[in-house]
Amino acid sequence: MKFRTESDTLGKVQIPMDSLWGPQTQRSINNFKIGKEGSMPIEIIYAYAILKKACAKSNYELGTVEKAKMELIVKACDEIIEGKHDKEFPLVIWQTGSGTQTNMNVNEVIANRAIEILGGKKGTKKPVHPNDHVNKSQSTNDVFPTAMHISVAKETISKMLPSLKILEKELKRKSNEFKNIVKIGRTHLQDATPLSLGQEFSGYHFQVKKSIERIEYALKEILFLAQGGTAVGTGINSKKNFDKKIVKEIAKFTKIKFKPASNKFAE
């Protein structure tokens, strides 16, 4: 395997030539060879890309990132969302802090892909820098919880709830279909008293129905996003209304009614 040499504040790092990630990602690969639970879920990565895209657009609108850099970041993010770079996110779920390594993994991949699109050399951090541009006005402390909320909301709305509603509908149909079938109920592994199979299935149906209602209720809280709080919740190092602009972009892209968290210290 051929390698390229990149540098960070800790020194030089050898990185596989074909990889889009950078030194922070490589250090995590080298130092966190633990656990068998697998890598960070790709749904989190896609949510990260949605968020980074929204941040780039918001930073451009606020005058803190140039249009050309914003467009490159957006293009790289779109490719990630489309699943074109899944292999570039190898980090395990065991990490330091609040997911800093995955945040940097995403930043580095976006920056290097943007440079690559221009025909530049990966690892130069020019003209797109993983921290100064991709991570502009952000901190892992608000980025990671925001990505988690985006991914949970997307998966819940697009997969979990539709599947549960199909199951609920079918169980309701079966409870009617089985209403005239009498069986013996059992408690403590013994025959107890009679009931219909339809009554039994009505219990299954109602449990799923109530579970759907609970999930939909809990989802309301998931729609509040921490982004804009940056490192500690004060919003320092981001411009006024950055959070509102980001949430507007994310909502427009996902078609989900996300909202800025009212108290970012809590998020």
Side-chain angles (χ1 to χ4, degrees):
M1 184 183 293
K2 294 183 179 180
F3 293 87
R4 67 179 189 270
T5 302
E6 288 193 32
S7 300
D8 59 12
T9 54
L10 296 177
K12 295 181 179 180
V13 186
Q14 292 290 104
I15 300 169
M17 187 66 74
D18 294 337
S19 299
L20 287 174
W21 65 70
Q24 292 290 304
T25 304
Q26 191 62 48
R27 289 190 188 282
S28 182
I29 292 171
N30 295 344
N31 297 326
F32 285 82
K33 297 177 181 179
I34 59 174
K36 297 180 180 179
E37 290 77 10
S39 57
M40 187 64 64
I42 199 64
E43 292 80 8
I44 293 282
I45 302 301
Y46 295 159
Y48 253 102
I50 292 168
L51 175 56
K52 297 292 178 178
K53 176 179 177 178
C55 287
K57 288 187 172 185
S58 300
N59 278 317
Y60 167 66
E61 290 178 16
L62 291 167
T64 56
V65 168
E66 299 167 17
K67 184 178 182 181
K69 290 184 174 66
M70 177 273 288
E71 290 175 343
L72 285 167
I73 291 170
V74 167
K75 184 172 178 59
C77 288
D78 284 339
E79 290 182 358
I80 293 171
I81 294 165
E82 290 166 11
K84 293 182 178 180
H85 302 295
D86 290 1
K87 66 181 178 63
E88 302 294 339
F89 304 99
L91 301 189
V92 296
I93 59 172
W94 302 110
Q95 301 182 18
T96 60
S98 52
T100 301
Q101 294 158 327
T102 285
N103 185 36
M104 283 308 302
N105 183 194
V106 175
N107 291 334
E108 289 175 339
V109 170
I110 292 171
N112 275 328
R113 178 56 188 145
I115 292 166
E116 194 175 57
I117 290 169
L118 286 179
K121 187 178 179 182
K122 288 179 290 190
T124 59
K125 301 180 176 66
K126 296 178 181 179
V128 179
H129 194 287
N131 272 325
D132 296 346
H133 303 125
V134 183
N135 202 55
K136 182 76 174 178
S137 305
Q138 302 156 56
S139 162
T140 295
N141 293 343
D142 57 0
V143 168
F144 200 84
T146 298
M148 287 195 294
H149 279 224
I150 293 170
S151 61
V152 168
K154 283 181 82 277
E155 294 300 302
T156 300
I157 291 169
S158 66
K159 295 180 181 179
M160 180 187 287
L161 284 174
S163 298
L164 283 173
K165 287 176 181 178
I166 291 170
L167 178 59
E168 185 227 344
K169 183 178 179 180
E170 188 63 17
L171 287 171
K172 184 177 182 180
R173 189 179 72 81
K174 288 296 183 183
S175 67
N176 290 324
E177 180 184 336
F178 297 154
K179 65 182 179 181
N180 294 322
I181 300 174
V182 178
K183 59 165 286 186
I184 294 294
R186 288 177 62 82
T187 63
H188 301 287
L189 304 179
Q190 298 182 63
D191 290 347
T193 57
L195 78 162
S196 73
L197 188 58
Q199 288 172 322
E200 183 174 341
F201 268 74
S202 76
Y204 304 148
H205 163 253
F206 194 74
Q207 286 178 330
V208 173
K209 182 175 183 292
K210 296 304 291 184
S211 293
I212 291 170
E213 291 175 8
R214 295 182 190 108
I215 291 168
E216 289 176 335
Y217 183 81
L219 189 61
K220 295 176 183 177
E221 294 299 316
I222 293 295
L223 299 183
F224 288 99
L225 302 182
Q227 198 61 48
T230 65
V232 295
T234 61
I236 194 169
N237 294 327
S238 67
K239 288 205 169 185
K240 186 178 180 181
N241 293 325
F242 182 62
D243 58 342
K244 294 181 178 65
K245 286 184 178 294
I246 291 169
V247 171
K248 184 179 178 181
E249 289 291 336
I250 295 170
K252 184 165 64 176
F253 182 80
T254 60
K255 305 294 189 297
I256 299 173
K257 294 180 180 179
F258 289 107
K259 306 167 189 175
S262 58
N263 188 314
K264 294 180 178 61
F265 303 103
E267 297 296 323

